Amino acid sequence: QEAVSVAAALAAHTAAGAAAAGLAAELGQLAAGKLADFAVLSGPPGHGSHVRQTFVGGRCRWGCAG
């Protein structure tokens, strides 16, 4: 049976994807000076977790308190 680990899948959609697109300097990781589009999950990815918040450009866009 073939499978991809959760860590490998996460890397493929973040740092590796940004590198493949030639955009590693701007995105792909949460770091100072990089674009910040990300989701806050209720638990570890791939284990039945759900999205609690989403951020685009470093600003909360969904699930924001207040």
Side-chain angles (χ1 to χ4, degrees), residues 4-42:
V4 176
S5 70
V6 172
L10 186 60
H13 288 285
T14 56
L23 298 171
E26 293 89 25
L27 51 94
Q29 298 175 324
L30 291 178
K34 293 192 176 190
L35 299 176
D37 295 354
F38 61 94
V40 177
L41 304 177
S42 62

